[in-house]
Amino acid sequence: MEYQYLIVERRERVGLIQLNRPKQLNALCDALVDEMVAALDDFEADDGIGAIVITGSEKAFAAGADITAMKDFSHMDAYRGDYITRNWERVKTCRKPVVAAVAGYALGGGCELAMMCDFILAADSAQFGQPEIKLGTLPGAGGTQRLPRAVGKAKAMEMCLTGRLMNAEEAERAGLVARVVPAASLLEEALATAARIASFSLPVVMMIKEAVNRSFESSLQEGLLFERRSFHASFGLEDQKEGMAAFSEKRPPEFRHR
Ligand code: HXC
């Protein structure tokens, strides 16, 4: 497939999706999100891919939804069109891990996109924010819901109500990002992290992703039961036999289902 707004590559077992709308700082439009969904569909269906990285440019992961495109929307345009969010949850429903590698601005929809990924690796240049209040509107792609879950109510409320940005260091301290790395090595680190994930047993990787996500969608008791049953199910996998045999035989495992 030809992409207009993305650069899509395979780096061995990692699928790399780079947002590529540089003049608009990767502002998100429907066509870009459609392409991202198509790339995710391809990578999910591809047995040769075990993990996915979504990244932007040095200056911006994404500066939000495209303000120029939506500024004259009527209520009905917004409601019927469901701008950038109609197929947005595909990032979350992707069964293979999706890592956000964020440098520069991740604002509005950009911050929301990063938060929808499984975890965020940030360059020291990263800046996160939900500045919609400055535009006379509010986050519409998950910001008021995912940010409090990531950083707690106080910081989320303050950020959404003031539109202030959070730098990488604060974002790491607050738990929004998994790790901060020098900007120059962000992509390399993200690809290495994704490659490490992709080296493990894919069914196990998928089960872990599903179980961790379950913790946000269910009671503790339900989540624990889901985890326990998935753990039990892993004993039906050849890769579990291989992983534990390799440990006993003091050799590296060779997972077959990757
Ligand atoms: C459209 C955008 C844009 C956006 C930047 N640009 N952000 N275009 N939509 N969200 C464009 C600018 O208009 C400009 O185009 C070019 O990108 C470079 O931006 P500058 O402002 O000149 O760069 P700089 O001075 O470095 O400032 C960077 C910035 C600023 C701080 C990121 O651009 C900014 O504040 N952008 C808007 C951020 C924002 O409010 N995001 C939330 C959007 S609402 P020209 O043609 O002038 O060169 C949202 C809701 C999500 O995301 C919910 C969806 C359902």
Side-chain angles (χ1 to χ4, degrees):
M1 170 164 172
E2 284 282 306
Y3 293 99
Q4 188 183 353
Y5 298 118
L6 307 178
I7 299 170
V8 177
E9 291 171 32
R10 284 171 169 69
R11 302 282 181 96
E12 298 186 355
R13 292 187 44 77
V14 177
L16 176 62
I17 299 176
Q18 185 173 6
L19 310 187
N20 185 33
R21 233 192 140 198
K23 286 200 182 109
Q24 292 85 2
L25 302 184
N26 292 332
L28 306 167
C29 58
D30 275 337
L32 184 153
V33 175
D34 287 349
E35 289 188 1
M36 189 170 65
V37 167
L40 287 168
D41 286 344
D42 274 359
F43 286 146
E44 184 158 270
D46 185 339
D47 287 341
I49 294 292
I52 296 157
V53 172
I54 300 183
T55 195
S57 68
E58 224 171 271
K59 178 155 187 200
F61 178 72
D66 189 323
I67 300 167
T68 313
M70 64 183 172
K71 68 183 174 34
D72 296 322
F73 278 177
S74 66
H75 172 222
M76 194 48 78
D77 294 332
Y79 179 67
R80 288 228 19 216
D82 208 2
Y83 193 60
I84 76 163
T85 48
R86 68 195 147 82
N87 47 358
W88 177 255
E89 295 284 325
R90 181 70 184 97
V91 179
K92 186 193 139 185
T93 61
C94 181
R95 298 179 74 198
K96 293 175 181 171
V98 182
V99 179
V102 175
Y105 296 111
L107 306 184
C111 185
E112 292 166 311
L113 172 61
M115 289 192 290
M116 218 171 9
C117 297
D118 293 308
F119 60 90
I120 302 173
L121 290 183
D124 47 18
S125 63
Q127 301 215 61
F128 299 88
Q130 298 292 160
E132 289 87 345
I133 195 162
K134 297 200 281 181
L135 299 169
T137 184
L138 63 149
T144 65
Q145 304 304 302
R146 291 198 171 98
L147 194 57
R149 283 166 170 80
V151 304
K153 179 183 166 186
K155 266 190 199 294
M157 192 68 96
E158 191 215 5
M159 285 180 67
C160 292
L161 288 177
T162 65
R164 87 162 169 92
L165 308 190
M166 190 188 262
N167 66 21
E169 190 197 322
E170 184 183 3
E172 185 181 26
R173 222 181 319 124
L176 178 60
V177 312
R179 212 145 45 84
V180 180
V181 300
S185 52
L186 175 69
L187 190 58
E188 191 189 322
E189 282 285 340
L191 289 170
T193 304
R196 180 178 167 89
I197 295 168
S199 74
F200 295 119
S201 169
L202 182 58
V204 175
V205 163
M206 287 163 65
M207 286 158 97
I208 291 173
K209 169 169 174 163
E210 208 175 12
V212 174
N213 279 333
R214 194 77 167 206
S215 74
F216 293 96
E217 310 286 352
S218 64
S219 69
L220 178 60
Q221 202 49 43
E222 280 298 316
L224 288 169
L225 183 62
F226 185 84
E227 180 198 73
R228 191 75 46 88
R229 293 293 177 248
S230 302
F231 172 71
H232 294 158
S234 76
F235 285 80
L237 297 172
E238 273 178 65
D239 283 339
Q240 173 273 328
K241 296 289 169 289
E242 167 60 13
M244 293 196 187
F247 176 83
S248 303
E249 293 158 19
K250 301 190 189 305
R251 61 171 174 82
E254 279 181 39
F255 295 121
R256 291 189 45 205
H257 296 281
R258 301 196 314 159

